[in-house]
Amino acid sequence: MTKLEKARDYEVKNQTDPNRQPAFHLTPPVGWMNDPNGFSVYNGKVHLFYQYHPYDLRWGPMHWGHQSSADMIVWDRMPVVLAPDQPYDQDGCFSGTAIATDAGHLLVYTGVTKENGVEVQNQCLAIGDGRVYRKLDRNPVVRGEMMPAGFSRTDFRDPKIWKEDENWWMVVGSRDEERGQIALFASDNGMDWKYERVLLAAEDGFGTMWECPDFFRLDGKSVLICSPQNVEAMDYTFHNGHNGVAFVGESDAMNFQGVKAQPLDYGFDFYAPQTTTLPDGRQVLIAWMSSWHSPIVASHQTWSAQMTLPRELSLRNGKLIQQPVRELETWYKETIRYKQVPIQEPQSVAGVEGRYVDFTIRFSKPATSEFTMELAKDERYGTRFTVDPKKGIVELDRTFSGLKEDVITIRRAKIPAEGIQTIRVVMDLYSIELFINEGEMVMSCVIPTAETANQIVFGSEEPIEIDLDFHTIDAPAIRAKREVLA
């Protein structure tokens, strides 16, 4: 039995019951999952691959797991497509991307091996039909020695591939002796590649390695996304550790010199974001909703991690805006709308409760004193979101969400200059995603809270009125439609 056959057999026999997993956030059938890979559209379906170690809840030799979807809400489990089974990838098939071509669905990934006892990373290709893929005989197609002297051969990974007109392009995460950077490669045919230049490099110590680059055009601008590692906190803008950031260029040229990084998520659990372009033109982002430094796995889980809800991207005043994909709305079960609800003492609102919900708060005027929401709450548990205009911060606190590990429990960020106008909350079984001011600021959070904790409580230091649009999501119907492995 080959390594790929072994992985496929294992995941079929050990897959988790979908009823014990989140309803509309992609999760692996079993084992460990990290970075999204190959987020793309092929043969009428959205495909998402991911870093995958089916045999354990911890990181291990990397495979590529696979799921597909017609609407990015119901995710069908597909067989694992890549296993580390060749001399050039025997230590792991690391992250990469995918693109639809006339010859088939082309995957580009990082093959990891060792040379003289030192880990070496190169870029490789595989092609398939949306279910079965074969690695190309010419692998690896982009080698580290193509780059200038002093560039790391060990930290050279996570290729993003795209085509414009007749030209093929690839960006790869890289580093030199001191800092993270993004290397740019070009090709006439998608197979034969040459090194072009460093597209952008870290300044002021902003990350020792830049992982998971993504490049796309949006509203006449060029956008570069990457994930800097080992960042020091900067005035609530970037948090300690590993971040996801965007650079929005001033034009559609591939030039990001002097462009400031924008944080993509201010919460706990967001890394390695990747985007794809849908047939209707929407640019959609998805990310690993976890953290290398404080992963959260409930005690009963046979799987580790989930992806964020896919998010539609747009630009507003030069800032990248994120909103949940509109397809979520087709799964609304019940809707309640309130106008001018008075809030002061901690209180619930009739009918506003649940763990599979999507609701939006609108303030009649920006709060001038502390406003709180407690989510996934009962007598024992609760995750609190606080708006504190006097301190000029928002705070997300999951201290009492049921955690039993010494992990990060509080995250703070600055209130936008115009104040807090709207807060949209999307909750699934083990997650909370907050979209503030129509997606100007996003905070993602994983919680291990028991599903029975379903209260939602609002409070305000001073009297305030809110409008509230509240939707329950039909989790049983989503789960029932999901295809499992057979």
Side-chain angles (χ1 to χ4, degrees), residues 296-299 380-381 398-399 401-407 448:
I296 293 173
V297 180
S299 58
R380 181 175 180 178
Y381 301 119
R398 62 180 176 188
T399 302
S401 64
L403 292 165
K404 296 183 176 73
E405 299 84 19
D406 184 16
V407 301

Side-chain angles (χ1 to χ4, degrees), residues 36-37 70 107 163 298 321 409:
N37 297 158
L107 313 184
K163 186 180 181 184
I321 304 300
T409 58

Side-chain angles (χ1 to χ4, degrees), residues 298-463:
S299 58
H300 68 274
Q301 286 181 209
T302 57
W303 50 275
S304 173
Q306 57 191 303
M307 297 299 177
T308 64
L309 185 65
R311 303 168 181 180
E312 298 180 18
L313 301 181
S314 60
L315 288 173
R316 185 192 306 153
N317 299 322
K319 184 173 179 59
L320 201 62
I321 304 300
Q322 304 172 64
Q323 290 275 36
V325 288
R326 63 196 69 173
E327 284 81 358
L328 182 63
E329 300 169 13
T330 66
W331 293 97
Y332 288 168
K333 187 175 182 181
E334 297 176 347
T335 294
I336 303 173
R337 289 188 170 90
Y338 290 100
K339 293 288 186 182
Q340 297 179 326
V341 180
I343 301 293
Q344 188 169 13
E345 297 298 325
Q347 65 191 77
S348 58
V349 177
V352 177
E353 63 179 17
R355 289 289 290 277
Y356 304 95
V357 301
D358 179 1
F359 68 91
T360 299
I361 295 170
R362 294 179 176 83
F363 295 95
S364 54
K365 58 181 180 180
T368 57
S369 61
E370 186 176 281
F371 174 84
T372 62
M373 288 190 301
E374 289 192 84
L375 307 164
K377 178 176 172 57
D378 63 8
E379 297 80 6
R380 181 175 180 178
Y381 301 119
T383 295
R384 177 186 288 255
F385 178 70
T386 302
V387 179
D388 190 338
K390 294 177 182 178
K391 293 182 179 179
I393 61 170
V394 295
E395 178 181 280
L396 188 57
D397 184 349
R398 62 180 176 188
T399 302
F400 301 106
S401 64
L403 292 165
K404 296 183 176 73
E405 299 84 19
D406 184 16
V407 301
I408 300 166
T409 58
I410 294 176
R411 189 78 85 198
R412 301 183 181 95
K414 284 185 177 180
I415 291 177
E418 67 274 22
I420 303 295
Q421 300 166 348
T422 65
I423 306 170
R424 183 174 178 181
V425 181
V426 178
M427 296 179 63
D428 200 347
L429 178 57
Y430 295 125
S431 65
I432 300 168
E433 290 171 276
L434 301 166
F435 299 84
I436 299 164
N437 288 358
E438 308 293 341
E440 176 185 353
M441 172 185 286
V442 186
M443 302 183 81
S444 298
C445 174
V446 171
I447 56 172
T449 315
E451 187 174 353
T452 51
N454 66 351
Q455 298 171 26
I456 298 171
V457 176
F458 306 102
S460 181
E461 187 178 31
E462 297 177 357

Side-chain angles (χ1 to χ4, degrees), residues 21-175:
Q21 293 186 308
F24 52 93
H25 286 74
L26 184 148
T27 51
V30 66
W32 167 275
M33 176 180 75
N34 57 282
D35 304 357
N37 297 158
F39 192 29
S40 55
V41 178
Y42 183 72
N43 278 353
K45 289 286 188 75
V46 176
H47 293 258
L48 187 73
F49 307 85
Y50 44 88
Q51 293 287 272
Y52 186 37
H53 185 224
Y55 308 111
D56 203 320
L57 294 180
R58 295 170 294 181
W59 188 94
M62 284 292 98
H63 299 58
W64 271 38
H66 182 202
Q67 298 189 35
S68 67
S69 178
D71 67 353
M72 298 173 289
I73 303 299
V74 178
W75 289 97
D76 296 329
R77 296 173 181 171
M78 306 284 284
V80 57
V81 298
L82 298 179
D85 57 9
Q86 299 297 319
Y88 51 80
D89 65 14
Q90 60 189 356
D91 292 304
C93 300
F94 280 16
S95 292
T97 51
I99 187 172
T101 73
D102 293 339
H105 198 202
L106 185 68
L107 313 184
V108 55
Y109 70 98
T110 299
V112 183
T113 188
K114 287 184 172 64
E115 293 181 6
N116 300 318
V118 177
E119 183 176 291
V120 171
Q121 301 177 354
N122 295 301
Q123 315 319 316
C124 306
L125 298 174
I127 196 160
D129 60 3
R131 189 176 183 88
V132 178
Y133 293 78
R134 63 174 179 84
K135 299 171 183 178
L136 300 194
D137 293 338
R138 63 196 301 154
N139 283 334
V141 296
V142 176
R143 297 177 179 271
E145 56 261 34
M146 294 179 179
M147 298 185 296
F151 286 23
S152 175
R153 293 290 315 281
T154 298
D155 291 316
F156 176 53
R157 55 185 174 268
D158 314 333
K160 164 74 177 199
I161 190 172
W162 76 99
K163 186 180 181 184
E164 287 187 347
D165 300 323
E166 298 303 315
N167 300 314
W168 294 76
W169 300 95
M170 183 190 296
V171 284
V172 186
S174 174
R175 61 170 297 171

